Every structure is written in structure tokens, then in C-alpha cells.
Amino acid sequence: MKIIVKEADGIEGLLDQLAGSRFDFMSLHGNCEIDVGPLSEHDIAKHVHGATSCLGAMSNAGPTKGIAAFAIEDSAGAYGSALVAFNDSPQDAAAEATRKALLAADRLGERPDLVWVSSTPGVEEDILAGIEGVIGTDTPIIGGSAADNSVAGGWFVFNGAVRAGAGVVVSVLFPSTPVSFAYQSGYSPTEKSGIVTKCDGRRLLELDGRPALEVYSEWTGGTVANIDKPEDSRAILSESTMWPLGREISQVGEVPFFLLAHPAVGDGTGAIDLFANVAEGERLTLMTGTQHSLIERAGRVAALAHATAPGPDREVAGALMIYCGGCMLSVQDRLSDVAAGVNTALDGAPFLGAFTFGEQGALLKAGNRHGNLMISCVVFG
């Protein structure tokens, strides 16, 4: 296996750098303002997986405001990718994309080593259910939701010929070398927690029988303020980034693992709109983070993925990283430090990092999950 990672300001510059090559698989991630149309004029890879990434991407060369490509040459492996736009059912679209990707890999009926997924935001739990309906629950599903630059809906997924503002692209990977992965956050639990007593999917209405925003405002010491007028609503995405809500879903040893939900909008009725589903009866814990913890966590996640790779030497051919777009915006002026930490953890191997509006990963004892403000890393041996 050979992995190449390149950055450029736009598609044409990227294609110039990769001219003369045809890869078995390519994952592309970059700014939503870039024109991806020229891809349809070039046969640069057998299978192309693309999604927009908040304000650019990062790689072993550092951050870029443009686009980055992660390209695999692996004639001994098998790869397949498919994009399906959403119609009535995102879950059905994900299942269809998975079947088409397996067919493209000539591995229909087989279980891949890894599924790499990118969808437009809002229905990630349905996407995971659709993929698992085809391949089962044992295959790790890792990826992130497409992002724009200002949460204005400018995100999209794409392949060599098609782009969709509401859709999913699924890639099935059967690489000839082992893969390992890790999925974590850079946040710690506080002592504040409560039970969800009323909710509707991603709309959190009550905690411990009280309006959710009222409780959350108290927990954060007023950092996220309550809203007095019932008819008013306000985006709280920025001030809530260091104060997400966590659900304890597993333990490794005696250490609890929290899957995070990012509060996005609060309103005067006391409701909070989240970027992930919650359920009545769940306990939500206030989590806390710092700029330092978010900068160093990417390297720690990469190091964990590297350390769990099989084989005596654990040599890395390359890696794919998902880094939450909300976290990225909080450490935007320190992205070079984030990339440097990943470089150290991966011994300088090529990697691509996408900045996403939702993160999917596989957890020990808890399966494939969707969360927010998370980081994942897939290492190819």
C-alpha cells in the first residue's frame, strides 16, 4: 500500500500535483466555496469520496484554506464508493449507498474492514442504522458530517461526477494492510448532571423536570444565558463549545466514556436544540474543555490509533482524521500546533484531517455512534 496526501487552493491545483497517477481510492475534503466540477473531467481515481470541511482542512503539511486529498494505491486491496441523495428516507439512502459501494468493490455480501462515511448534517443516527442494516454491527463505521464555513447550509458531499446538498457518500474499504482507529473527545466531566425528562429527538426540552436551558444556564454559571421572552431564540453554538453535554455510554476499565452533544440553539420556552439525539431517561453530564485540551487531544487520539495497530513495527502508511469543526473554530489560530501533534504521533506519515459538523466512530462495548465535538483517527498500516 502507498498513501499520498496533497493540499491545494483548488481542484485544478490538486489535479496538477497528482497528474499522471490513477489511484484505487481517494478521499477529498475542503472548503465549501471550492468548485469541484473539474473532477468530472478527470479519471484520477477508481473511487472518489468527497465532503466539504469547515474553512478548509489539514494534513501533515499543516492547515489549508483550500482542499486536501488522501489517495491510496493498493492493487491487492478492494475499495468501493457510492453517493446517494436523500429522498424520503436518509436511512434507505445510506443502505442503498452501502450496497452500491460493495458492488463497486466487487465484494457484495462481504463485510468490509472499515466503512468511511460522510453525510450532510442532521440525520446521522439514521445513516448509521442504514449502513448497519446492510453490513451488520461488527464493522467499524468512521467519518464525519459535511460542513460549511458558517453553519449556513452550504455543505455538500460529492464524488467524481455528482454533488448533493442533502445526501450521503459511503465507502467500503478492504485494504491489503491492517487498519486501527480511535474515537475520543477532549473534554472532562464536571459534577453537574441531570436526567432528560422531556425531549423530541435532538430537541432537549426538560432536565430534571425543569426547562433545559434554565438548568444549562445555571450549570455554566451564566456563560450560556437564559432567554426571557418565550418567542425569542438565539444561537448558542459558540459559547457552548467549551460546555457540551455528555452521555456516559461505556467504560474502559473503570474510566467512563462520554459521547458528546453540542447545544446549538436555545429559545425562550427553555428548549435547547442539539446536534445529536438524546432520549428520555438518559443522564446528561456537563462537560468542560480548554483550548489546550483540544489542541493536544488530536495528537493523543492519533497516538492511540497508532499504538493499537497490529504488528511488531506498527509502521504507518497514512491516516485519516476527523476533527470537529466547532473544536477547530475554538483553536483556529493554533491549527499548526494541532497538525504538529498528529505528525509526532504518526512518525511523520501522511495524514488528512477534515473539520466536520458531526463525528461518527466505533466504540468498545458500545458499537458505532454519532457524537459532537469528537475526534477520530484511522491508521493504515
Side-chain angles (χ1 to χ4, degrees), residues 43-363:
D43 189 20
I44 192 67
K46 294 178 183 176
H47 306 285
V48 174
H49 178 123
T52 53
S53 170
C54 184
L55 291 173
M58 69 175 174
S59 76
N60 46 294
T64 175
K65 295 293 186 181
I67 192 165
F70 179 93
I72 296 178
E73 292 180 5
D74 185 15
S75 59
Y79 302 83
S81 186
L83 184 154
V84 176
F86 295 154
N87 291 313
D88 294 333
S89 170
Q91 182 169 332
D92 289 346
E96 181 183 351
T98 306
R99 288 190 291 268
K100 287 183 173 180
L102 287 166
L103 186 62
D106 196 25
R107 294 294 186 93
L108 198 61
E110 297 186 42
R111 186 167 70 87
D113 296 325
L114 174 76
V115 170
W116 181 243
V117 62
S118 299
S119 72
T120 49
V123 289
E124 290 89 348
E125 290 89 354
D126 292 338
I127 297 298
L128 291 177
I131 296 171
E132 289 184 338
V134 177
I135 61 168
T137 58
D138 293 333
T139 296
I141 304 171
I142 299 174
S145 309
D148 65 359
N149 299 336
S150 58
V151 201
W155 47 65
F156 57 92
V157 293
F158 60 97
N159 60 16
V162 179
R163 57 174 279 177
V168 59
V169 57
V170 174
S171 294
V172 294
L173 281 61
F174 299 82
S176 63
T177 59
V179 293
S180 56
F181 54 88
Y183 178 55
Q184 291 186 352
S185 82
Y187 294 78
S188 302
T190 70
E191 295 181 353
K192 298 179 175 68
S193 69
I195 301 296
V196 178
T197 47
K198 191 175 182 181
C199 68
D200 182 11
R202 296 188 172 190
R203 190 166 173 80
L204 176 61
L205 301 170
E206 292 183 359
L207 285 166
D208 292 334
R210 297 173 56 202
L213 184 60
E214 181 180 306
V215 175
Y216 183 61
S217 180
E218 291 177 3
W219 284 357
T220 63
T223 299
V224 180
N226 202 15
I227 299 172
D228 295 327
K229 295 182 179 180
E231 67 274 16
D232 288 350
S233 66
R234 187 182 72 249
I236 58 174
L237 197 64
S238 178
E239 57 260 52
S240 68
T241 295
M242 294 301 177
W243 302 101
L245 297 170
R247 294 157 286 165
E248 183 181 336
I249 59 170
S250 68
Q251 289 194 352
V252 180
E254 296 184 358
V255 179
F257 183 96
F258 289 89
L259 189 66
L260 307 188
H262 193 175
V265 175
D267 67 37
T269 69
I272 302 174
D273 291 330
L274 307 169
F275 273 122
N277 288 353
V278 292
E280 291 183 9
E282 281 188 320
R283 177 172 292 277
L284 298 184
T285 297
L286 181 70
M287 309 292 288
T288 184
T290 64
Q291 189 180 65
H292 175 73
S293 68
L294 298 182
I295 291 168
E296 68 152 14
R297 179 60 63 170
R300 292 177 63 180
V301 172
L304 179 60
H306 187 185
T308 56
D313 54 9
R314 296 192 174 94
E315 185 176 353
V316 180
L320 281 165
M321 173 165 278
I322 293 294
Y323 191 93
C324 168
C327 294
M328 182 277 291
L329 291 171
S330 296
V331 300
Q332 191 173 354
D333 59 343
R334 300 283 302 278
L335 280 180
S336 294
D337 294 337
V338 176
V342 179
N343 274 331
T344 298
L346 299 178
D347 298 330
F351 79 90
L352 182 154
F355 305 127
T356 55
F357 284 171
E359 297 76 49
Q360 297 83 53
L363 299 170

